[in-house]
Amino acid sequence: MVVATRLARSLSLASATRPTPAAGPFSASRLSFSTTRSPCAPTPDGDNQEGSIADVFSSLGGDAFVPLEPRFASLKQSLWHDGLIESWRSVLSALEERTAEIVERGNKVIPQVSYRDIRDGVPPALAEEIKRVGTVVVHDAVELGEAERWKRELEAYIKRNRDLAKGFPADDPQVWELYNSVQQTQARTHPGVLGTQKALLSLFHTSSPDSPVSVNTPISYYDRLRIRFPGDAIFALGEHIDGGSLERWEDPGFRSCWREILAGGPEPHERHDPWDLSPRLDAKTSLYPSSGQCSVFRMFQGWTALSNTAPGEGTLRVFPDVSLATAYLVLRPLFRPRRGREGKLGFDDWEVDVESTDFPGSVKGKGQELSDKTHPHLRLPETMTSVPRVKPGSSVWWHCDVIHSVESQHLGAEDSSVFYIPAVPLTVPNAHYLAAQRARFAAGTPAPDFPGGEGERRFEGRATVRDTHEGSGSAGRRAIGAERFVVEEGETPGGRRVVEEANRILGFS
Ligand SMILES: [Fe+2]
């Protein structure tokens, strides 16, 4: 028994002791760094402590269950009104239909596009599909041969500096503590990657033109890389959403992202708009001490493949309906199974719960976890859908609210290798992070959000600002904070101010 959520405990399905770290969806033996970053903690200025993903997710770390204080019951009471019963009924009904469709269609529900089809803007029908699913696979933004070359050269870089290179597991790393290689720098500033980021960021909108964000200005967020070996069963990660947990309900700014869901009435998942940036800019996603959180405001998480990877080969899995899953997640703490009807999913099998302090899968200072026990109506064992086959140069992008996990086993014959490259817009806090990241890059040390140490400071052949991709010119240099930002045509008033302020922060004015 590993899944040790508050809901499970409240139903006496799990003990309140430390979870066994040897098996199960969040066991410490099934770690993955593939999707570990999550918005948004304060940017650390000092040198960080060593850490791992076990710091990010409660059950990975085997944390003992700590009941929440009574004020969390008060929080639920403050959210409650009778209109939410109709919302819950509506969401359960929609999930019944949608989960059946997802199971039937498998990964055909996940849109795949060629870069040339989105380079000049995402066509409306495709945009609608991506917005519904929340995940997209983009092919041919990076030429296959170039991505293969990055991997070869990266392996040579590791070999050349093997005495200094660290990773996890320590004895034979598959996730390397590398941030400043020439190959990562080239990938982050590749014109196809920047163009993809721009296209995807454009799917978001602001409900106010004064919102302080520029979606026209993607910036680089330096993350790790993974070279997962065939046969590996170490790197896996259960279903989760990055970017805090209890904060979704507790922080008024974050909670305002769900205002249509919490307003009550039928079909909240149809009214909720995951693509409105404005409320997200005020969301506090990290109210408690935590480590391993992502400081930047990140709209899509993503990786760019360096190898051929098919379903079953250690790839990403997602729940492919972002708005419906979010509506369910947000309402879930307000309901519980009726005593004696545990395991049943009908509307009548559940009742209102505003007395307990239960927030299933939410633990202070950690990411939001989900399982078949905590969120049964999602039918996660059947609906978590592996992304389609990718080849070197393909990339996968998923909305920051998408439930995701990593396949527990890599059954392929080839390594499964990726650079973690998300899509991050320019905001004022992100510009501060970029300035700090730029300084770390110059010093050859890990990016500000990541475990500290000397990193690649003494590595032979690490990247400098001269190693941005030659195909992207100024755009590539801007993305890493090495050149002055410009106001793009059609920029909003809020975006214009952000560009000006970012230039000041980065010392360009
Ligand atoms: Fe993740």
Side-chain angles (χ1 to χ4, degrees), residues 235-380:
F235 296 114
L237 185 59
E239 287 73 35
H240 69 281
I241 309 169
D242 296 307
S245 55
L246 289 161
E247 290 85 350
R248 285 179 170 77
W249 297 270
E250 198 177 4
D251 175 62
F254 208 164
R255 194 168 65 231
S256 74
C257 298
W258 332 123
R259 60 186 180 272
E260 292 293 341
I261 298 169
L262 293 169
E267 302 196 322
H269 50 287
E270 298 292 345
R271 284 179 277 116
H272 169 58
D273 181 2
W275 305 89
D276 180 3
L277 274 178
S278 297
R280 291 175 187 272
L281 295 168
D282 297 322
K284 291 186 179 64
T285 59
S286 186
L287 295 176
Y288 301 98
S290 61
S291 59
Q293 299 282 309
C294 169
S295 297
V296 303
F297 177 57
R298 178 179 57 183
M299 289 147 66
F300 278 92
Q301 297 151 277
W303 47 249
T304 297
L306 304 178
S307 62
N308 292 291
T309 303
E313 298 180 357
T315 198
L316 179 81
R317 303 170 82 197
V318 295
F319 184 89
D321 191 319
V322 62
S323 190
L324 184 53
T326 302
Y328 176 70
L329 175 82
V330 169
L331 294 173
R332 172 65 185 85
L334 303 171
F335 298 87
R336 66 183 168 202
R338 288 184 192 276
R339 191 172 292 275
R341 298 203 204 171
E342 293 85 355
K344 297 188 186 306
L345 301 181
F347 173 77
D348 294 332
D349 298 317
W350 289 62
E351 64 184 5
V352 176
D353 172 18
V354 292
E355 296 90 34
S356 82
T357 60
D358 290 347
F359 278 77
S362 307
V363 174
K364 287 179 184 175
K366 306 288 181 177
Q368 174 67 41
E369 297 178 7
L370 303 95
S371 73
D372 200 29
K373 293 248 176 3
T374 59
H375 296 83
H377 298 88
L378 295 175
R379 297 172 61 188
L380 294 172

Side-chain angles (χ1 to χ4, degrees), residues 70 80 115 118 176 181 189 237-238 313 335 344 373 425 451 485:
W80 181 257
Y115 175 57
I118 61 169
W176 292 91
S181 69
T189 57
L237 185 59
E313 298 180 357
F335 298 87
K344 297 188 186 306
K373 293 248 176 3
F485 292 110

Side-chain angles (χ1 to χ4, degrees), residues 428 431-432 496-507 509:
V428 170
H432 282 291
R496 181 179 291 271
R497 283 195 291 276
V498 164
V499 167
E500 289 164 1
E501 180 66 8
N503 281 332
R504 194 190 60 73
I505 291 163
L506 290 157
S509 54

